[in-house]
Amino acid sequence: MLNDSIRVFLMVVEKKSFSKAAKALFLTQPAVSFQIQMLEEHYSTRLFDRVSRNIILTESGELLYKFATEMNNMQQHLEKDMQELNSTIIGRLRIGASNTIGEYIAPYILGTFKKRHPKVTLSLDVSNSDEIEMAIHGTTLDVGLVEGPPVGKDLESIPFLDDELVVITSPNHPWAKHDSISVFELDKYPFISREKGSGTRAEIEHHLKLAGFSANNLNVMMRLGSTTALKTAVKSGYGFTIVSRWAIKNDLKAGTLAMVKLKEEEFKRRFRIVYHKKKFKTQANEEFLRFLKTEQFF
C-alpha cells in the first residue's frame, strides 16, 4: 500500500492546491496540511514554496515527486499482477459523468457493475463535459462518461449509448398541443439553456446549425447548470428547453412535461466513454471499460 502521506503529496502536486487535493481525496484541508507537514518533518526539508496563492515544488519536493511517482506506478503494476494471479478484481475506480448521464444513467450502470465486482470501490463525480475532460487529463478520474466527443489530446473516445435530444414544455404551453414544430419556430418563446461547457448545450448548437437555425436566435431567458434545474423551470412555466430523452421518461408518464418533435430532423447523438490513452490501467479499470463496451444496459 502507498503511504497515506505520499498519496496526499501526489494529489497536492497534481491539483496545485491543498484545498482541491482535500476535495479530491474526501479529506479536510487541515488533514492534507498535516500529512504534508509529516513528510517535511520526516525529511527535514520544505517540500513546497508558497508564492502568492500558488504553491510550487522546492528542489527537495521535485526529488520526492520523482520517487513517489515511481512508487505509485510500481504499486499499480503490482496490484494488477496480483489480481490477475488471484482472478479477483479489486481496487478503486473514479468515474466522472456529465450531468445528464450522472443523474439518469450512471447510477444504474455503476450499480450493475458493483453487483458483479463487489470488491471494487466506486466513486462518481458529476459535472459538465468540459470539467470531466479536464479531470481525465489531470488523472483525477479514471473514466469519463460524456455527452459529446472530447476535444483534448491524449483522450480515447468510444460511443456506448444512443440518445436523442427533444424539445420539452409544460403541459399548458401552446406547443404541448402539437405533435411537432419547425426548428424555425424556436425563437417564438423563452428558451432555458444549459451553461457554457455543457455537452448537451454544445450538441444542441451543433444540430441547430445543421438544420439552418442559429442558436444566437434563441430567446434565452436563463442559463442553468443541470438537467433537473431545466425541467423544474419548464414545469414552472418559464419557457421551453431541449434535453435528453433519457431525462424525461418518468415526467412524460406522470404528465408533468410534454415532448414536442422537430419537423426538420431528429437530434440524435451518442454518449461516449472517455479515458486517457497514456495512463496505466488497473485490472478494475480495464474490466469496467470492457463492461461498458459490451453490455446492453437498457
Side-chain angles (χ1 to χ4, degrees), residues 179-193:
D179 292 330
S180 63
I181 60 169
S182 169
V183 69
F184 298 101
E185 297 179 65
L186 293 179
D187 58 357
K188 288 186 176 180
Y189 294 99
F191 177 69
I192 305 165
S193 172

